[in-house]
Each structure stands twice: as structure tokens, then as C-alpha cells.
Amino acid sequence: MKAIFDIVSFECSKNVTKSYSTSFASAVKMLSPSIRQDIYNIYGFVRFADEIVDSFHDYDKENLFDLFEGDLYKALGNKISLNPILNSFQHTVLKYNIPLELIKAFMKSMKTDLFKTEYKTKTEYDEYIYGSADVVGLMCLKVFVKGDDAKYDELKFSAMKLGSAFQKVNFLRDLKADFEDLSRTYFPNTNLNQLDEISKRHIIEEIEADFKAGYEGIIKLPLEAKFGVYMAYVYYKKLLSKLKKTPSAEIKNTRIRVPDYEKLGLFAKSYLTYRLNFL
């Protein structure tokens, strides 16, 4: 029965989420059960695409990506795939009518990582951010609003900004790995060999502006999604706070993280804020 295969596929997407990002998986647990699986399905898809271009160095990454992309479009057309991750993803895409242009924009940015290592202009940078992060926020928003097009249009800008903020925090946190292991520099007009406090401050101010716009959308989300998205927001805001306090020279030589005991404190404080209707 296809239903059994779908269950196996969904579990695979859930396990991918939990294996690759304990923090994101914790935030997803705060979502309503009615939408939780679909976010796992989206994350599993974007994580696999990202892993191909970032991790499989001993293999022909371009060929692997082309195969994955071909299987993706077959899955969307056939409404099934023997790749459990793609089978889960096509289910969510069709269920919520996620626009194909969002998926194509994401795949375009991922494919760019196969050959492009430096972003010299803000236009290039913004286009990459849109495809790698903003559209993922929009895919999730489609799930959160459950087909309410008016609500989607209202929250679209904020969802994109929140996606941008998360991605830029990742860029800043992962400077060492991106620069030394993958030879990539995402921030335009920034010399990572000589990253100074002025350059770091400009980057952080940009991220803070994205967070502010993103928060305006969080408070308007349906109840099923609000607390889970807020938890992700709080976690990434904490990461940014730590990055802000870290000297620019150290950011390039370490990977900032939030310890588990701090995560528990953030959860308790955030839950109280939510329950008291301060959100």
C-alpha cells in the first residue's frame, strides 16, 4: 500500500531533520501536529540538496545534483518517488500548492554553490539569499497559512526577511568553514582575511533589520505555527547576540553555538512570553 510507503517516507524526513539540526527539530516540535510533518518534509528536501553541494567532496557533485534535480521534477509530475525524501516533499508541495517558481529558485541557488565562490555585488548576494533562504521561508509559510492566500500575501515579506536573517546568521557563524573548507565568501565587499569590527557591524545591522521585519510577521501567524517559529527566531537572535559580542578576529577562527542549558533557558522564557500573550 502506498500509505505505508508514505509513512516510511515521512519518518525519513523527520529523521533527517533531527539528525542534521537538533535546534530546528526542537522548534518544529513546538508547531501544531497538524503541520509539523510538512515542515519536516520541506526541511528534508532542502537539507539533501544542500548536502550534495556542501559535503560530498569525494563524488561528482554536479552529476549527483543533476540526478537529484531530475528526480525532483519527476516526483512532482508523477506524485510519487522512490526517493523517500522527494516522496515526502512532493506530498507537501501538492497538498499546499507550493509554487514551482519557489522550488526552481531554491535549486538555482543550490546549483550556484557548485561553481560560484564569491559574491562581489549586492545584486548577486540578494539573488542567492532569495533562492537559498527566502523561498524556503515562503514554502513554510504556505504550510502555516493552510491555503489562506490573503494571509500568505500579508505575511510574505516578513517570511522572506526572517529567512534572510536565519541564512545570514549562518553565514556569519560559519565563516571559517565556508572560507577555509569551501573557499566561499558570501558577504559582498568584505575581505574575510581582514574582517574588522566596522565590516562586522554593518553585517549585523543588516541582519537585525531583517529580524525586525521578520518579527512583525511572527506575531501575525496562525496559532498552529506561532510558537514554533518564535522559538526558531529566539534561538537565532541568541546566536546573533553571541556573534555581536565576539571580536571579528575570533569569528573567523571559531564556530559560535548556543549550549543546551542556554537553549532550555530560552525555551522557558519564550514559553512564558507566549502563554502570557506578550507575543
Side-chain angles (χ1 to χ4, degrees):
M1 293 176 63
K2 170 89 164 30
I4 296 176
F5 179 62
D6 286 340
I7 291 172
V8 172
S9 298
F10 295 160
E11 281 299 308
C12 186
S13 295
K14 180 179 179 179
N15 288 334
V16 167
T17 307
K18 293 169 68 175
S19 297
Y20 278 98
S21 180
T22 55
S23 298
F24 185 77
S26 296
V28 175
K29 286 181 181 179
M30 301 303 107
L31 299 172
S32 166
S34 65
I35 59 174
R36 196 178 297 161
Q37 184 62 57
D38 290 295
I39 301 304
Y40 286 139
N41 295 348
I42 291 172
Y43 182 88
F45 162 69
V46 300
R47 171 51 63 183
F48 265 33
D50 192 55
E51 283 303 300
I52 293 172
V53 300
D54 281 357
S55 301
F56 301 159
H57 307 309
D58 295 331
Y59 304 89
D60 186 340
K61 293 193 284 187
E62 186 171 356
N63 182 54
L64 286 175
F65 191 87
D66 288 343
L67 290 171
F68 184 74
E69 186 173 32
D71 288 344
L72 163 66
Y73 294 123
K74 288 178 182 177
L76 295 175
N78 297 333
K79 301 181 182 181
I80 189 173
S81 175
L82 293 182
N83 178 327
I85 293 297
L86 293 179
N87 188 57
S88 297
F89 182 61
Q90 66 81 24
H91 174 87
T92 296
V93 169
L94 297 174
K95 180 180 178 180
Y96 294 99
N97 196 28
I98 293 175
L100 184 59
E101 57 262 29
L102 298 183
I103 300 168
K104 287 183 175 180
F106 172 76
M107 294 300 282
K108 180 181 178 182
S109 280
M110 291 300 97
K111 198 163 190 175
T112 299
D113 276 337
L114 290 171
F115 59 87
K116 191 173 181 63
T117 59
E118 185 176 2
Y119 292 80
K120 297 181 179 180
T121 69
K122 191 174 186 305
T123 299
E124 290 180 336
Y125 174 64
D126 288 345
E127 183 179 359
Y128 179 83
I129 291 287
Y130 172 76
S132 66
D134 295 4
V135 298
V136 179
L138 293 178
M139 290 182 206
C140 292
L141 182 60
K142 276 287 185 180
V143 175
F144 297 154
V145 301
K146 293 183 174 180
D148 186 335
D149 291 337
K151 195 70 173 176
Y152 176 81
D153 290 338
E154 179 189 0
L155 300 180
K156 183 177 179 179
F157 176 76
S158 294
M160 291 170 62
K161 286 298 182 181
L162 192 61
S164 290
F166 289 170
Q167 181 71 298
K168 291 170 188 176
V169 169
N170 285 336
F171 286 165
L172 195 56
R173 180 186 61 174
D174 297 337
L175 277 182
K176 179 179 172 65
D178 285 338
F179 189 58
E180 295 184 3
D181 300 340
L182 300 173
S183 301
R184 291 190 198 138
T185 58
Y186 290 105
F187 297 112
N189 304 314
T190 302
N191 184 349
L192 297 186
N193 285 311
Q194 299 176 342
L195 182 67
D196 55 26
E197 288 301 314
I198 295 176
S199 298
K200 190 189 86 168
R201 186 177 73 246
H202 287 161
I203 292 170
I204 287 177
E205 287 174 351
E206 179 181 307
I207 298 172
E208 287 176 335
D210 287 338
F211 269 127
K212 182 179 180 181
Y215 180 80
E216 294 303 314
I218 292 174
I219 61 179
K220 298 176 183 177
L221 281 170
L223 288 177
E224 294 94 333
K226 185 181 290 185
F227 184 59
V229 179
Y230 180 64
M231 276 307 307
Y233 165 86
V234 168
Y235 171 72
Y236 270 89
K237 282 276 285 185
K238 185 63 176 180
L239 273 177
L240 184 63
S241 176
K242 285 177 171 286
L243 288 164
K244 193 173 183 177
K245 296 175 183 176
T246 303
S248 55
E250 289 185 28
I251 287 179
K252 295 181 296 181
N253 299 313
T254 189
R255 190 175 192 270
I256 304 300
R257 62 183 297 273
V258 179
D260 288 342
Y261 73 90
E262 285 192 42
K263 290 179 183 177
L264 287 173
L266 290 173
F267 171 78
K269 184 178 179 180
S270 300
Y271 186 70
L272 183 62
T273 298
Y274 176 71
R275 293 301 296 174
L276 293 176
N277 292 319
F278 291 155
L279 177 61

